[in-house]
Amino acid sequence: MIGWCMNDVNIIDIIRGTTVDGPGFRTSIYFAGCGHRCEGCHNPQSWDFDAGRRMSIDDLMEIVEEEDFDVTLTGGDPLYHVDFVISLADRIHAAGHSVWLYTGFTWEQICGNPNLSGVLGHVDVIVDSPFVKSLRDTDLLFRGSSNQRIIDVTKTQSSGCVVEWSRE
């Protein structure tokens, strides 16, 4: 199911002006569909690929441009719609905004999968790994469990090893 191309996808929700899915005010776009099914997931209604409503990149860009915030792609798991995500991220960058992406896949899984790895040149930060209930930590910044990493994609690609994002 990973890697197919679509003109539109199901979106569960769009949260405008949130501060919990990355630094500053952001527009968070919640994609429908997730196969990870993490125990204790805070958003299990997002697992259903048919949930939400169909939206195109143009539909989403209207909201992004109206809000004029940086953008977080979350869900569900946006990487189940990787081709759509790449096109959307390119449009978001062209509009002058950064793109964070939350996924239950690990960095290593993304890099090792030709269908997923194409996203790496199109997003700024990836919050990787499945939520693990036993590692839940409400004091963590922008993530739910301690196994999850906030990865600076550009720095990681240039250094060859995972470089975690930090407020500079």
Side-chain angles (χ1 to χ4, degrees):
M1 283 179 68
I2 298 169
W4 69 88
C5 186
M6 301 182 177
N7 294 328
D8 55 6
V9 298
N10 281 28
I11 299 296
I12 296 283
D13 201 0
I14 298 171
I15 307 295
R16 302 167 188 236
T18 184
T19 58
V20 298
D21 294 327
F25 288 99
R26 308 185 72 79
T27 299
S28 287
I29 301 170
Y30 288 78
F31 285 73
C34 184
H36 304 293
R37 299 182 177 271
C38 303
E39 181 186 355
C41 174
H42 78 282
N43 205 8
Q45 69 274 20
S46 69
W47 297 352
D48 181 358
F49 286 88
D50 295 322
R53 65 182 175 127
R54 301 295 285 177
M55 295 185 78
S56 68
I57 289 174
D58 288 339
D59 296 333
L60 294 169
M61 285 307 298
E62 277 184 40
I63 295 166
V64 167
E65 290 169 354
E66 178 182 304
E67 293 304 312
D68 201 29
F69 297 134
D70 289 330
V71 177
T72 297
L73 308 177
T74 188
D77 192 327
L79 289 187
Y80 283 97
H81 314 281
V82 69
D83 293 333
F84 185 93
V85 164
I86 289 169
S87 297
L88 177 61
D90 287 348
R91 292 272 305 272
I92 293 167
H93 279 138
H97 303 291
S98 73
V99 179
W100 278 41
L101 183 139
Y102 281 75
T103 180
F105 293 100
T106 65
W107 175 263
E108 294 76 15
Q109 288 172 317
I110 295 166
C111 291
N113 183 320
N115 290 326
L116 297 179
S117 62
V119 78
L120 297 177
H122 302 272
V123 297
D124 302 292
V125 170
I126 291 178
V127 181
D128 83 331
S129 300
F131 172 76
V132 176
K133 188 175 180 179
S134 64
L135 299 176
R136 181 175 185 257
D137 184 344
T138 58
D139 291 330
L140 293 171
L141 184 63
F142 306 134
R143 59 204 164 157
S145 59
S146 60
N147 63 302
Q148 296 172 310
R149 299 172 291 184
I150 304 173
I151 300 170
D152 183 313
V153 174
T154 303
K155 288 180 181 177
T156 295
Q157 287 184 302
S158 45
S159 77
C161 59
V162 171
V163 177
E164 293 204 38
W165 172 88
S166 64
R167 289 187 192 247
E168 298 180 69

